[in-house]
Amino acid sequence: MAAAADATARHHSSARPFAQALKDAQTRITAHMDARLGGGDALHAAMRYAVTGGKMLRGFLVLESARLHGITEEAALEAALAIECIHAYSLVHDDLPCMDDDDLRRGQPTVHKKWDEAMAVLAGDSLQTFAFELLANPRIGPQALPLIRGLAQASGKDGMVSGQMLDIAAETATTPLDLEQITRLQNRKTGCLISWSATAGAVMAGADETPLRRYADALGLAFQIADDILDVEGDAAKVGKAVRKDADAGKATFVSLLGLDAAKTRASALMEQACEALTPYGDAAETLKDTARFVISRDS
């Protein structure tokens, strides 16, 4: 825990209000994307389109965890862009007709609607491989290999892809998922990438990941419960995609299993757990605590 204490001493005054910090992270990551992904052909255009316009919450978490551990700006931005590329690739593929079949993403036409299905597959493939190219940059430092291995595990057969497989299987299952099953599904589909993002700074610093991993575990589950609440209560214009699809499809969600009020109570409890996990960092982690509060109160 000494690394966390040292980080607190170095960055005590660096925490900022969440909205300001998130906007700054979006600006920095987008500028870095433009610099690192500047090709002029249709493939590069589709890749940039897929990354642009989202909240960039995962990239933001990378930058915040890097700040807590004194990681250089160059290394932090490579890792932040890497996770945004992985997230964008997953969305591009999830939106395809063979998966979730969505026409809108972030309030804009999905990649296969703006271009075609072949371009969407290729853009997703390229975003995935580009993420690992970014993490192999020597600027990442001696912990690049653990960082790369962690992202491969979080995004692949034991992580996000596995979660998506379980989600697809649930759509045709004869009985709805129970609470334990849906928690496991969402931990893989959503939680793994959030966990990688929130611990990236500690990994790059060779520091203890435990506080940030506990934070991320609670945050990731709260994020998914909030998503399920948005699918019931959200405005499609604000959410940027179709809502009430889960209910129409008869899918089990945290809301359908717990009820709306209990789901909101559970999300609030997880937010408190996330904030408590950051105690070793003191005031330096106030921005991350604000992030947990935002996750359960967002409208998009």
Side-chain angles (χ1 to χ4, degrees):
M1 210 61 69
D6 289 346
T8 301
R10 288 197 307 270
H11 300 283
H12 182 84
S13 62
S14 298
R16 295 171 296 163
F18 168 74
Q20 175 189 341
L22 179 63
K23 184 176 181 180
D24 176 63
Q26 291 166 344
T27 300
R28 290 155 63 199
I29 294 168
T30 300
H32 195 61
M33 176 190 69
D34 290 339
R36 298 286 274 118
L37 199 56
D41 59 16
L43 177 60
H44 283 81
M47 292 169 71
R48 289 190 297 270
Y49 180 86
V51 175
T52 303
K55 290 183 287 293
M56 296 189 173
L57 181 63
R58 292 156 187 80
F60 162 81
L61 288 171
V62 171
L63 295 181
E64 278 299 301
S65 67
R67 177 184 64 81
L68 287 176
H69 292 88
I71 301 301
T72 66
E73 174 83 351
E74 294 83 1
L77 282 171
E78 291 284 87
L81 180 56
I83 193 62
E84 287 302 322
C85 286
I86 289 288
H87 180 53
Y89 123 73
S90 75
L91 299 181
V92 171
H93 284 187
D94 284 358
D95 289 337
L96 286 168
C98 64
M99 300 276 273
D100 291 344
D101 194 14
D102 279 315
D103 296 342
L104 283 179
R105 173 66 66 180
R106 298 165 176 166
Q108 300 294 325
T110 50
V111 172
H112 72 275
K113 285 296 181 180
K114 186 171 179 65
W115 282 273
D116 54 34
E117 290 182 35
M119 182 59 77
V121 171
L122 294 173
D125 290 347
S126 298
L127 285 165
Q128 183 194 45
T129 54
F130 183 55
F132 293 101
E133 179 183 337
L134 289 165
L135 295 181
N137 189 322
R139 290 177 176 176
I140 294 293
Q143 297 301 313
L145 185 56
L147 203 63
I148 291 169
R149 183 188 298 113
L151 185 56
Q153 291 169 338
S155 59
K157 65 180 179 59
D158 297 316
M160 179 189 68
V161 173
S162 173
Q164 181 66 9
M165 178 203 68
L166 293 172
D167 197 22
I168 292 171
E171 294 178 1
T172 56
T174 55
T175 57
L177 300 182
D178 60 27
L179 189 60
E180 181 180 349
Q181 290 170 323
I182 200 167
T183 300
R184 182 171 65 252
L185 184 161
Q186 298 301 348
N187 279 340
R188 294 184 182 185
K189 185 177 179 182
T190 303
C192 284
L193 291 190
I194 288 178
S195 182
W196 184 91
S197 303
T199 59
V203 173
M204 285 189 280
D208 182 15
E209 304 166 34
T210 305
L212 287 172
R213 191 167 299 283
R214 288 175 178 164
Y215 166 82
D217 288 346
L219 184 74
L221 192 53
F223 186 93
Q224 187 54 50
I225 294 174
D227 252 11
D228 289 351
I229 293 169
L230 276 176
D231 191 64
V232 174
E233 295 188 328
D235 179 347
K238 291 182 178 180
V239 176
K241 62 180 180 179
V243 295
R244 284 169 278 285
K245 286 187 67 177
D246 291 341
D248 292 344
K251 288 177 61 176
T253 67
F254 287 105
V255 172
S256 70
L257 292 169
L258 296 172
L260 185 59
D261 289 342
K264 291 179 178 180
T265 299
R266 177 65 174 145
S268 294
L270 286 164
M271 180 271 290
E272 295 291 347
Q273 288 178 31
C275 291
E276 180 66 25
L278 296 171
T279 299
Y281 293 102
D283 292 342
E286 279 303 313
T287 304
L288 286 177
K289 291 180 182 179
D290 281 349
T291 306
R293 299 179 189 110
F294 160 79
V295 158
I296 66 166
S297 62
R298 61 197 168 93
D299 59 7
S300 66

